[in-house]
Amino acid sequence: MLIGKFPELRLRRLRKNENIRRMVRENYLSVNDFIYPLFIVEGEGVKEEIPSMPGQYRYSIDRLVEEVQEVKELGIPAVILFGIPGYKDELGTDSYSDEGIIQRALRAIKKEVPDMYVITDVCFCEYTSHGHCGYLKCHGETCEVDNDKTLELLKKQVVSHAQAGADMVAPSGMMDGMIKAIREALDEEGFKDIPIMSYAAKYASAYYGPFRDAAESTPAFGDRRSYQMDPANSDEALREVALDIQEGADIVMVKPALSYMDIIRRVKETFKYPVAAYNVSGEYSMVKAAAMKGWIDERKVVLETLLSMKRAGADLILTYHAKDAAKWLKDGGMESI
């Protein structure tokens, strides 16, 4: 690419003041980009702060509805729900029960805030007594997740979510063939218009620690490296995304976001497909901790970080910063960065 040279070309000319910077700005951050994660627990009148995620809470269903109403008033278009049941068993049966915590939460939200777009996380780690993402098969003292039996349970879960009012389902367990199984189950039950946002490239990341505290989903033994992706791999992410698109995913997600910007960029450039980035709990908590110490300007760092995800190629951002970011964008827009 041939361009001019100094001194005829001075790139600082287009940075001289805020007006010209706005005119040539390439990427924008909007409240329309955000999906806000919410944690739901049993009980009434519950709003308990998550110690490792300052400013984030577990809500009982009655308080959840109040929070969703506030989210709507801020202009955030969507929430994603994570349920923490009062009872857990080996199969995670609460996840597909008509009276499960997510199913009741969906009905409550749709009754009180019907125009909020509600996405459900589809997995088993929050619901199982062992904390793994599916059906376990054991040989002696050695246990592993049975991929294909888990698919049958996932079908039950997504259908129950759709029946309760979910607008979109988001499978996060990284089971092979999960998108095909879920698409077939939804279609067979008459939910052809329910889209799937697949956690297509989900890495076995150390950044999930605070989330596992929040969702009470830490594995009772072992880890999830046998089904979540190795952080060293990038070509594999493209294969994962390609398979999910072929099986019927409507949106593909990269998780985490901050350390995987290269993956977001490669996925977007390769597939030209709607891409979501999950700005995960560890990323959130690090910013919060530094801000509480006075080491960073929280507002500027958060908005710069979210903008960088858009710049990398994300169309949507799941972020715990969504409420704050919505307020900051309303107050000062991109000029506040």
Side-chain angles (χ1 to χ4, degrees):
M1 180 174 63
L2 295 176
I3 61 174
K5 60 181 181 179
F6 179 83
E8 289 80 11
L9 180 64
R10 294 176 181 266
L11 296 181
R12 288 178 56 189
R13 291 171 184 149
L14 300 185
R15 304 171 192 156
K16 187 172 179 62
N17 59 47
E18 183 56 34
N19 285 338
I20 189 60
R21 289 195 295 271
R22 288 169 53 200
M23 291 165 64
V24 299
R25 187 164 286 144
E26 298 173 28
N27 295 280
Y28 286 86
L29 188 64
S30 163
V31 69
N32 297 325
D33 301 323
F34 301 149
I35 299 170
Y36 190 49
L38 290 165
F39 299 97
I40 313 159
V41 295
E42 298 287 1
E44 293 184 4
V46 178
K47 180 182 178 180
E48 56 184 16
E49 189 169 29
I50 300 163
S52 57
M53 298 177 68
Q56 298 300 304
Y57 299 85
R58 301 183 190 93
Y59 299 93
S60 55
I61 291 174
D62 55 330
R63 299 298 300 274
L64 172 74
V65 171
E66 297 173 6
E67 181 69 4
V68 172
Q69 183 63 49
E70 182 179 341
V71 170
K72 175 192 171 185
E73 291 170 359
L74 287 169
I76 298 167
V79 295
I80 183 168
L81 305 182
F82 297 90
I84 307 164
Y87 169 76
K88 302 187 180 193
D89 57 26
E90 288 190 359
L91 295 179
T93 55
D94 189 277
S95 69
Y96 51 84
S97 167
D98 288 342
E99 291 303 313
I101 192 165
I102 286 293
Q103 290 79 358
R104 285 180 284 127
L106 282 165
R107 291 192 290 267
I109 293 171
K110 286 302 178 179
K111 179 181 178 181
E112 301 297 332
V113 198
D115 51 352
M116 173 57 70
Y117 198 87
V118 185
I119 306 166
T120 57
D121 177 76
V122 176
C123 195
F124 289 97
C125 59
E126 303 104 312
Y127 305 93
T128 55
S129 52
H130 47 72
H132 280 281
C133 297
Y135 180 92
L136 283 189
K137 61 180 179 182
C138 298
H139 305 282
E141 296 183 358
T142 303
C143 297
E144 62 180 355
V145 174
D146 186 316
N147 188 96
D148 294 0
K149 287 188 177 181
T150 300
L151 298 183
E152 296 305 312
L153 297 178
L154 285 171
K155 290 180 181 180
K156 293 182 179 182
Q157 189 177 156
V158 294
V159 169
S160 73
H161 288 188
Q163 290 172 337
D167 295 295
M168 177 186 288
V169 295
S172 60
M174 290 295 288
M175 297 295 116
D176 292 338
M178 67 180 183
I179 303 305
K180 181 175 185 292
I182 287 170
R183 185 73 271 160
E184 289 176 350
L186 290 171
D187 290 355
E188 288 170 3
E189 294 297 324
F191 297 107
K192 296 180 184 296
D193 293 331
I194 298 289
I196 301 171
M197 178 170 63
S198 173
Y199 288 63
K202 180 179 179 181
Y203 285 84
S205 172
Y207 284 94
Y208 301 152
F211 174 92
R212 290 174 180 170
D213 291 340
E216 299 175 3
S217 61
T218 302
F221 61 88
D223 54 43
R224 299 181 179 132
R225 289 184 293 175
S226 64
Y227 43 98
Q228 294 179 358
M229 285 186 56
D230 187 330
N233 295 352
S234 56
D235 290 343
E236 182 186 5
L238 300 185
R239 296 196 293 273
E240 286 279 9
V241 170
L243 284 170
D244 283 4
I245 290 173
Q246 289 171 5
E247 291 178 9
D250 300 281
I251 299 170
V252 291
M253 186 195 299
V254 176
K255 180 182 180 182
L258 200 56
S259 290
Y260 297 87
M261 297 289 200
D262 58 320
I263 307 302
I264 296 171
R265 169 53 58 192
R266 291 190 68 185
V267 168
K268 189 62 178 180
E269 289 183 342
T270 301
F271 299 103
K272 305 295 190 291
Y273 217 71
V275 177
Y278 202 139
N279 179 209
V280 300
S281 59
E283 299 165 0
Y284 170 88
S285 295
M286 289 191 301
V287 169
K288 281 289 185 180
M292 290 168 69
K293 287 284 190 179
W295 294 339
I296 60 172
D297 183 320
E298 181 179 359
R299 174 178 176 143
K300 289 185 176 180
V301 167
V302 168
L303 293 178
E304 182 179 344
T305 300
L306 297 176
L307 178 62
S308 71
M309 294 170 191
K310 290 293 299 292
R311 192 179 64 243
D315 300 288
L316 303 168
I317 304 171
L318 292 80
T319 178
Y320 304 97
H321 295 293
K323 286 175 61 180
D324 286 337
K327 295 171 185 175
W328 294 331
L329 289 172
K330 183 178 181 180
D331 289 344
M334 296 295 296
E335 292 73 30
S336 61
I337 297 179

